[in-house]
Amino acid sequence: MSDPVAATRREPLLPNAVAVARRESVERVRSRLFVVSTLLLAGLAALVAFAPLVMRLVDRSTVTTVTVVAEEPGLAERARDVMDSVLNGGFAGTTSDTKAYEFALARDAGEATADVENGRSDAALIVMRDASGRLDFVLRSGEGVGADRAQLVAVGAFAVAILDWTAGQDLSGGDAFQIPTLDVLAAGGPSAGAAPLDGAEFAGRRIVGIVFVVLSFITLVIYGMWVAAGVVAEKSSRVMEILISAASPAQLVVGKITGIGIAGLTQLVCVLVPALVVLAVQDRIGVALLGPSGSVAPSLRALTPGLLAAFLAFFTLGFLLYAAIYAAAASLVSRPEDLQVIALPLSLIAIAGYLQAVLALSGGTAGFVRTASYVPFWSPFVMLTRLSVGRVEPWELALSLGLLLVTVPIVLLLAIRVYRAGVLLYGQRPSWRTFAAALRAG
């Protein structure tokens, strides 16, 4: 058994931590598991990057529901009938057997807008008449209505104005036609309160968010398990007793996390490159498969340097947080087969964050999603997704990063404390009591 004094001595991190990090990173990158997992993740990222093309295929059969409302009696009914005839009469690319739009009536503008915000309809068209008799339109669009469909609704609104003016004329003539106004505002999604995003940028935001959240979840869990598996393998083979006599627990923990983190960043670059290549060439693929109308061209404006920097920051801090937890938990395990006992509970923490990030992909800011983006264990998933597809205030980003920055060193210090005592415990199954005992002993 190792000298207890050696297990608790205080030494600087360098150079032992660097040696441990170099050993861990080189062994991981050269392993068959690393190569296979990199190829699988790169293929998955490339498939996800094709989502805009799939969306375009699905969008061909999508029906947009528009709620029409007007204070003037009969005006909403007339507007509904005219727009149905214009937009479903072949102008919007429909046939006699298909409809691109469905129109319904609402009692007032508040009800129509609420339906859009709650997802019961895709857009609300509010029709008003000013003192001069001119018709004015306000289109409150949901997150699924891009600028392309909003433009077609504008054409339908223009037809409503022309027929309304024509119906008010008599044989002796009348007032000159006044071009109607149409204000298009997003009722929900990443541009709520402003003009809706064009289809390309909307698809670009979604795809960036999907790629980031899937990569973050899969890689953080995988790399955390790498750390845990390394600790358990060394402990079960009794190599740990030699290592703990040559390096302090802090050096071993920091070195192992750093080395696996470097290997993880290497893998991440190899995974992101194919996805970016797909995003760059899929417009040509769409044109080849669907013809000139099949252009997708997802906007890469969503992939800003600021978003990439945020991804790198959240990924790095998230990895440090989860890797420290996995290392501490694995130090309490004596046999590799007992690793699954701690793997599931630890994975559930990340799964909870991942599921909330999926909800945030809609661009919504529900209370629990907003709160989850501040929680350090979930912010690497949820806040990053909100940045991709939603609206995030600067103070929210600062709060999320600040809490994560404070939490990481605290968890790392606690992990080193547990590791110091845990690596010398053999023959005990991991439990909350064992964890508490190791925390006190460390």
Side-chain angles (χ1 to χ4, degrees), residues 75 127-130 133-137 160-161 164 179-181:
L75 180 57
V127 189
M128 301 167 290
R129 191 187 299 275
D130 66 8
R134 184 187 67 185
L135 291 183
D136 296 323
F137 299 85
V160 171
D164 178 79
I179 298 177
T181 63

Side-chain angles (χ1 to χ4, degrees), residues 382-413:
V382 186
M383 180 55 76
L384 190 62
T385 306
R386 287 187 59 198
L387 286 170
S388 300
V389 301
R391 302 179 67 185
V392 178
E393 299 296 334
W395 68 265
E396 293 184 284
L397 180 59
L399 176 61
S400 181
L401 280 173
L403 291 174
L404 196 55
L405 283 169
V406 171
T407 303
V408 167
I410 294 175
V411 172
L412 187 59
L413 290 175

Side-chain angles (χ1 to χ4, degrees), residues 27-28 35 59 75 80 109 156 160 200 255 258 272 276 280 321 353 371 376 395 412:
E27 285 189 357
R28 293 292 173 182
V35 176
D59 189 60
L75 180 57
R80 175 198 61 189
V160 171
T258 302
L272 284 177
L276 294 176
L321 181 64
T371 302
W395 68 265
L412 187 59

Side-chain angles (χ1 to χ4, degrees), residues 302-319:
L303 198 63
T304 61
L307 184 59
L308 287 174
F311 171 70
L312 183 61
F314 277 107
F315 176 82
T316 302
L317 293 174
F319 168 75

